[in-house]
Amino acid sequence: MTVLTRPKTTFATGPVLVVAGLAGLALLLTSGRYAGGFDELYFLVAGRDHLDWGYFDQPPLIPALAAAMDWLAPDSLVVLRLPMTLAAAAGVVVTALIAREFGGGRGAQVMAATCYATSGIVIASHWLATYVLDPFLWTVVTWLLVRWTRTRRDGLLVWAGVVTAVSLETKFLIPALWAAVLLAALWLGPRELLTRPKLWLGAAIAVVATLPTLVWQATHGWPYTHMSDVVAAEFPGYGGFARDALLGAGVGAGVLALLYGVWRLLRSPELRPYRYLGVAALVVSVAVLVMHGRANYVMGLYAVPFAAAATELSRRNLVRWWKAVVWPVFAVSAVVTLAALPVWPATARTSYGPFLLGSTFAQGELPQQELAKAVGQAYAALPADVRARTAVYAEIYPFAAVTEFYGPPSGIHRVYSGHRGYWYFGPPPETADAVLFLGFDPGLLRPYFAHETTVVDGLLWEYDGRTAPWRDIWPALKRQ
């Protein structure tokens, strides 16, 4: 059994926790300033009102987490986003731990932590979303692999399987990471990784934990397999991927650290045992690019290059004055990161009071709230007898989620849509023979109703006189 050696370094607990704490504090102080985003409200509605083992576009963890946070503190943005805030702060610490595994001293650990803290990962952590939690889980998996590579403690591989199981409840992307890691290890070593029984024990844990979600997908026609087509349609070209992936590493220090870190992973003799992780990161990035994936899919790969760059830069000490340059660059990166968070009011018309732990969705109106208000006013203006038999239908899921969340004051408690996951929530009741339609294409429902009235030109229409049962109409309304 080969166990790698490294210089004895202690963990820079104090400075790293300060960096992590500042990143977490910045998120905490700004997480109540903007109204809920479209996807956040979709996750919340899905988990709160339609909790299930799976959805068209995701596994169940984020909706369930959103529902749990809303149950603890209804309508609080701060609490809703608290898991993402904690994950971002924890990612800072884990990145420093990777630098320590590489042999980086206190300075390297703090530098690696600062790269993570000033990256787009922290900026994205303002939102509750799958693309925020999953990068943190990838970061933990890569730390466990780095630590296993040095120590050969096979129990780490079991924990990697446990974290993978959690990741699979968030997104179905992490198998791509594992495939690239195992292929790179088979090519470059350590080949013994593939022979470790506890690696496959961890894989079995991940598979068993994912079975309920896989069963849901199988019984609903594997809808998640269509997500690649959805994403490809949203991002048809390749040009923006590299730009967005680099900017996601952070403006200034982060971009340089990412590029330098990957290069040193591939070239440094000291980091040679970890070269397979650098190759795996490149393979995953190319695969995501070819599949027209989003740039945020690769954010979970950043921690290892950040740690490698910090360790190599501090170890090589190429020029005497590098420390005098790097920290001002980090300061600029930190300012850019803060500016990208919702520090300023959402609109010129709104202002915000002091930060409160219980800050709610009603602090300032954004377009999604104004949209929901327009629908609510139109619905409330309907005669009582008409309103009682009218269902609210949205053409796309963001409109449906926003209207459903903000609708109760106007009497809207359920919104229907044939778009993505909302179609699986089911059709309106058969007693609803009229519809208030929110969307862009009034022709979507026109064939199924005898009468059409424009309520707000280009936005809202009222349909009456349904000509067929919902059970016959609903299959035709399914849209990706």
Side-chain angles (χ1 to χ4, degrees), residues 121-446:
I121 301 173
V122 170
I123 296 173
S125 298
H126 168 63
W127 307 104
L128 176 80
T130 57
Y131 54 78
V132 175
L133 184 59
D134 209 38
F136 166 68
L137 297 171
W138 284 38
T139 299
V140 175
V141 167
T142 53
W143 167 60
L144 291 168
L145 285 171
V146 167
R147 186 164 175 78
W148 176 86
T149 302
R150 183 182 65 81
T151 66
R152 296 302 198 270
R153 295 177 183 172
D154 288 352
L156 296 167
L157 300 178
V158 178
W159 283 111
V162 172
V163 179
T164 298
V166 179
S167 179
L168 284 168
E169 298 301 320
T170 307
K171 291 182 78 70
F172 288 128
L173 288 177
I174 200 166
L177 172 64
W178 276 108
V181 164
L182 296 179
L183 287 174
L186 184 62
W187 176 32
L188 299 169
R191 294 183 178 89
E192 61 190 280
L193 173 62
L194 284 77
T195 67
R196 297 302 208 196
K198 288 189 177 180
L199 171 71
W200 303 110
L201 174 60
I205 291 172
V207 170
V208 170
T210 314
L211 280 178
T213 301
L214 294 177
V215 170
W216 187 96
Q217 288 286 327
T219 56
H220 289 78
W222 300 101
Y224 192 83
T225 59
H226 298 290
M227 278 304 296
S228 59
D229 296 330
V230 171
V231 174
E234 293 175 347
F235 299 88
Y238 297 105
F241 177 85
R243 177 200 65 216
D244 294 341
L246 290 174
L247 290 177
V251 176
V255 173
L256 296 176
L258 178 65
L259 297 176
Y260 181 67
V262 171
W263 180 54
R264 295 311 300 163
L265 278 169
L266 300 178
R267 298 296 301 273
S268 171
E270 291 85 355
L271 296 179
R272 185 181 182 87
Y274 310 100
R275 185 175 300 179
Y276 74 105
L277 293 175
V279 171
L282 292 176
V283 170
V284 172
S285 299
V286 171
V288 172
L289 171 64
V290 171
M291 296 297 293
H292 296 278
R294 298 184 177 99
N296 57 47
Y297 290 178
V298 300
M299 290 197 302
L301 303 170
Y302 292 166
V304 171
F306 285 166
T311 301
E312 284 288 289
L313 190 59
S314 61
R315 179 159 48 208
R316 291 168 65 85
N317 204 12
L318 299 177
V319 290
R320 295 180 180 178
W321 43 265
W322 72 269
K323 291 183 181 179
V325 173
V326 71
W327 294 114
V329 172
F330 275 127
V332 172
S333 299
V335 170
V336 172
T337 301
L338 285 174
L341 292 172
V343 175
W344 308 108
T347 69
R349 301 191 306 274
T350 58
S351 61
Y352 297 88
F355 169 84
L356 297 173
L357 183 61
S359 57
T360 66
F361 290 99
Q363 281 187 299
E365 289 194 357
L366 288 182
Q368 57 262 41
Q369 293 167 295
E370 295 176 356
L371 176 69
K373 180 184 290 187
V375 180
Q377 290 172 345
Y379 182 79
L382 294 173
D385 59 326
V386 176
R387 190 165 62 245
R389 58 183 180 83
T390 297
V392 178
Y393 185 98
E395 182 176 353
I396 58 176
Y397 82 88
F399 286 2
V402 165
T403 306
E404 187 164 350
F405 183 83
Y406 291 113
S410 59
I412 299 174
H413 297 282
R414 178 72 193 277
V415 179
Y416 302 89
S417 177
H419 191 218
R420 296 199 193 172
Y422 254 87
W423 184 86
Y424 296 87
F425 299 163
E430 292 298 334
T431 55
D433 60 359
V435 163
L436 183 63
F437 175 79
L438 166 65
F440 308 108
D441 180 14
L444 190 64
L445 293 184
R446 187 176 294 149

